[in-house]
């Protein structure tokens, strides 16, 4: 795993956008899966305000790493948040947007989304290949929607699975490491002092949580972090 450390969250988000734009140049269409939570909001804000004119938006196909089982208009919805914060501002073509259905049972949604991803991406050894996946990390060391204590899900041979937020018991649909490890570019976007303890544990211990498992077992995990999260 490689760490790129920036002065603050704004600089880190800029670096992630610039990495996306650089990698986009290499392909005709760019299939990227985004995580949810709060970190992406700054990424989308800076992308829109500072890089929109340099972005060939129609080249991008938008996918998700995970989703909460809530309606799209819920403030909890990862799709809904990206739609409000980014997609509605770039008039993204609906044929390039592949949301996870948060309004059907999680296990069924995970099965259907696995089929969607398999149908719409090139395969390598039977596993769909994203051009890029952007992961976050919770303060507890979770990633996607696989939480500490759910390590059994990490070795699933599925692409997406049903999971649950252990604190709220909210049902989730989560991308598995099997799919993450196939990506051409696997990015962690992690900022803020709240992440420092989990980042310290991750750097020292591959078994310190789901994010650590992914970071230590991938061939290409690249961290974009700020000083608060790692120093
Ligand atoms: C989710 C995310 C999750 C997120 C981390 C970090 O749906 O909650 O996919 O894995 O990346 O919880 O969240 P923050 O960006 O809010 O710290």
């Amino acid at each position: 795993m490689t760490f790129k450390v920036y002065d603050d969250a704004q600089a880190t988000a800029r670096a992630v956008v610039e990495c996306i734009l650089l990698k986009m140049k290499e392909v005709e269409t760019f299939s990227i899966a985004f995580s949810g939570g709060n970190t992406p909001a700054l990424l989308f804000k800076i992308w829109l305000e500072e890089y929109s004119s340099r972005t060939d938006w129609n080249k991008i196909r938008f996918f998700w790493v995970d989703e909460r089982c809530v309606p799209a208009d819920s403030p909890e919805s990862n799709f809904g948040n990206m739609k409000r914060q980014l997609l509605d501002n770039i008039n993204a073509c609906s044929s390039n947007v592949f949301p996870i259905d948060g309004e059907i049972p999680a296990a069924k949604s995970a099965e259907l989304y696995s089929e969607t991803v398999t149908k719409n991406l090139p395969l390598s050894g039977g596993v769909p290949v994203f051009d890029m996946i952007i992961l976050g990390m919770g303060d507890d060391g979770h990633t996607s929607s696989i939480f500490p204590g759910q390590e059994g899900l990490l070795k699933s041979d599925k692409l997406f699975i049903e999971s649950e937020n252990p604190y709220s018991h909210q049902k989730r649909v989560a991308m598995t490491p099997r799919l993450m490890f196939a990506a051409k570019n696997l990015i962690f976007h992690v900022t803020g002092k709240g992440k420092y303890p989990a980042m310290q544990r991750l750097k020292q211990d591959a078994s310190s949580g789901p994010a650590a498992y992914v970071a230590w077992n991938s061939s290409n995990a690249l961290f974009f972090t700020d000083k608060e999260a790692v120093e």
Side-chain angles (χ1 to χ4, degrees):
M1 69 190 93
T2 305
F3 292 84
K4 290 178 174 286
V5 184
Y6 299 89
D7 284 342
D8 54 33
Q10 289 73 16
T12 307
R14 275 189 200 98
V16 174
V17 174
E18 289 174 8
C19 178
I20 293 169
L21 296 183
L22 181 67
K23 297 298 181 183
M24 278 178 66
K25 288 182 176 147
E26 299 169 5
V27 292
E28 285 301 306
T29 59
F30 191 74
S31 295
I32 179 169
F34 291 91
S35 290
N38 300 312
T39 302
L42 182 58
L43 174 70
F44 299 152
K45 180 175 188 294
I46 284 178
W47 196 352
L48 276 176
E49 290 178 357
E50 302 180 23
Y51 295 89
S52 190
S53 61
R54 282 186 260 167
T55 304
D56 182 355
W57 294 108
N58 292 322
K59 197 172 178 181
I60 303 174
R61 303 198 308 166
F62 297 90
F63 295 82
W64 277 261
V65 167
D66 61 347
E67 187 55 277
R68 294 82 178 279
C69 293
V70 295
D73 61 1
S74 163
E76 282 278 295
S77 168
N78 291 336
F79 162 68
N81 283 328
M82 189 198 286
K83 184 176 186 299
R84 290 183 286 272
Q85 294 164 8
L86 181 68
L87 301 178
D88 287 349
N89 293 288
I90 61 169
N91 300 313
C93 175
S94 59
S95 62
N96 283 344
V97 179
F98 301 84
I100 298 171
D101 189 338
E103 300 189 63
I104 62 175
K108 185 62 181 172
S109 184
E111 180 190 332
L112 291 175
Y113 203 64
S114 297
E115 291 168 6
T116 296
V117 167
T118 301
K119 192 166 64 175
N120 285 283
L121 292 178
L123 304 178
S124 173
V127 182
V129 178
F130 279 100
D131 292 298
M132 183 176 287
I133 294 172
I134 301 182
L135 298 175
M137 183 186 72
D139 293 1
D140 62 357
H142 79 261
T143 194
S144 178
S145 281
I146 302 177
F147 293 80
Q150 301 172 349
E151 277 70 15
L153 299 179
L154 294 171
K155 300 215 169 87
S156 171
D157 61 3
K158 295 181 179 178
L159 303 176
F160 287 85
I161 50 170
E162 172 185 3
S163 71
E164 178 179 299
N165 178 321
Y167 314 108
S168 65
H169 303 297
Q170 182 186 63
K171 291 294 183 189
R172 303 278 187 100
V173 175
M175 181 188 287
T176 64
R178 179 172 182 235
L179 184 50
M180 295 172 192
F181 294 154
K184 290 182 188 170
N185 297 278
L186 184 63
I187 305 288
F188 277 91
H189 181 191
V190 181
T191 58
K193 60 180 177 298
K195 310 296 184 188
Y196 178 80
M199 283 294 279
Q200 288 301 102
R201 293 192 297 270
L202 177 147
K203 289 161 84 172
Q204 290 155 20
D205 179 1
S207 61
S208 62
Y213 173 86
V214 173
W216 282 83
N217 288 281
S218 71
S219 60
N220 59 350
L222 175 57
F223 281 79
F224 287 79
T225 65
D226 65 1
K227 287 178 178 173
E228 278 192 348
V230 292
E231 292 179 0

